[in-house]
Amino acid sequence: MFWNRFQFSRDIGIDLGTANTLIHVSGKGVILEEPSVVAMDLEEGVPLAVGEEAKLMLGRTPGNIKAVRPLRDGVIADFDAAEKMIQTFIQKCNEGKGLLAPRIVIGIPSGITSVERRAVREAGLAGAREVYLIDEPVAAAIGASLPVTEPVGTMIVDIGGGTTEVAVLSLGGTVVSESLRIAGDEINDSITSYLKKNHGLAVGERTAEKIKIKIGSAFPDDNFDDTTYEVRGLHLSSGLPRSLTLTSKEIKEAMADPLNKIIEAIKRTLERTPPELAADIVERGIMLAGGGALIRGINDLVTQETGIFAHIAEDPLLCVVNGCGEILGDFRKLKKIVDTVDMGTNSIRN
Ligand code: ADP
Ligand code: MG
């Protein structure tokens, strides 16, 4: 088994996120971490760049080039771009491979349709022997070391770029879940609108994200609220570039609306949870994963609003890819999980 896996083929776990794609290769660990962005040449209809290189082009392209995020809202908005992106990333990781094409486990947003699932599978199959799709919350929970295959209820909240996935899991399957199209991107947009409305300043998406990461927070903190950050943008009334000093406290206010919507989704999911599993969650707490789990104070906000202790996963950005990697390393676990998830598109070929 060991020999087979490492000598003849290299298995690959992929977190196909709305903001970032990560790839884990068996025996090597996580070897690729790039933004899920594709730059397309509109005239030729071909991709010019993928990943990091393409992200640098977001908001900076001339008329004939468009940088797109094919999975932006948790659905595949652009099939061709998505397929090209997946294939390019797999190829990057697949050099010096063994004799056999790899097996691939891909974590996908739980809200995508069966047509989209098929498209992802096909993109993966171009370079693989077998492709398994797994719902991201399940992969995230495994990556966060939750006991997903046991008869105990656990709750995972994965706050990504385009979507927040809230799920209650037990026995390897999803019992109740919600995929909300409000996450990191929406928080950035909220900061952008705030600056426009309150300071007459226009900033781009990447600047808003920087503000969020530098001084954003979800919960009051006397030691942090006065932290400042200088931002540059376009002053709307004069039409000229201008810089401005922002405080953490006002950015917290700017982020409050999307954060409340995430809290509401967690509450709705808890309300739909069967009582035995709800009791387990009260005892064990809620696990936060995804890039959004890095928002300062988000755990305190969730704890206060739900009355249930919220933990931040170790390496929240890596939970899904680590979960996919772990599943590949334990094929019995893979079958147990894949069997419970949408058999129509996850048929196991032995
Ligand atoms: P996805 O799984 O959808 O690709 P990720 O889990 O990779 O998303 O998370 C990406 C989101 O996390 C982005 O919106 C990004 O701005 C946000 N993010 C990353 N690091 C931080 C941080 N330190 N603080 C706040 N938000 C962060
Ligand atoms: Mg994710």
Side-chain angles (χ1 to χ4, degrees), residues 23 67 82 111 116 129 174 188 241-242 253 272 275 278 340:
I23 299 191
E116 291 167 334
R129 178 162 45 115
T174 306
N188 300 346
R242 199 185 108 177
E253 195 186 311
R272 288 161 53 218
T340 63

Side-chain angles (χ1 to χ4, degrees), residues 125-246:
L125 273 173
R129 178 162 45 115
E130 291 162 25
V131 175
Y132 301 95
L133 303 184
I134 175 169
D135 277 341
E136 276 176 352
V138 178
I142 294 171
S145 308
L146 293 176
V148 275
T149 52
E150 285 167 32
V152 55
T154 54
M155 181 180 245
I156 179 104
V157 179
D158 179 349
I159 309 171
T163 60
T164 294
E165 313 263 343
V166 185
V168 173
L169 312 172
S170 177
L171 287 167
T174 306
V175 182
V176 276
S177 68
E178 180 169 337
S179 178
L180 182 75
R181 289 192 193 175
I182 291 178
D185 293 337
E186 191 78 19
I187 297 174
N188 300 346
D189 290 349
S190 201
I191 292 173
T192 307
S193 315
Y194 175 91
L195 293 179
K196 199 177 271 174
K197 198 168 145 224
N198 294 276
H199 295 288
L201 193 76
V203 299
E205 189 179 337
R206 303 197 58 201
T207 300
E209 182 179 41
K210 237 182 243 164
I211 297 169
K212 172 182 73 179
I213 292 174
K214 292 276 183 201
I215 58 166
S217 70
F219 203 72
D221 177 351
D222 287 342
N223 294 321
F224 190 73
D225 284 352
D226 297 328
T227 310
T228 57
Y229 180 70
E230 192 176 304
V231 63
R232 289 182 199 88
L234 202 61
H235 193 220
L236 290 167
S237 53
S238 67
L240 293 172
R242 199 185 108 177
S243 71
L244 185 77
T245 302
L246 299 168

Side-chain angles (χ1 to χ4, degrees), residues 15-20 22 107 109 136 140 158-161 163 165 289-291 316-317 320-321:
D15 167 7
L16 192 59
T18 64
N20 299 298
L22 288 82
E136 276 176 352
D158 179 349
I159 309 171
T163 60
E165 313 263 343
L317 286 161
V320 172
V321 77

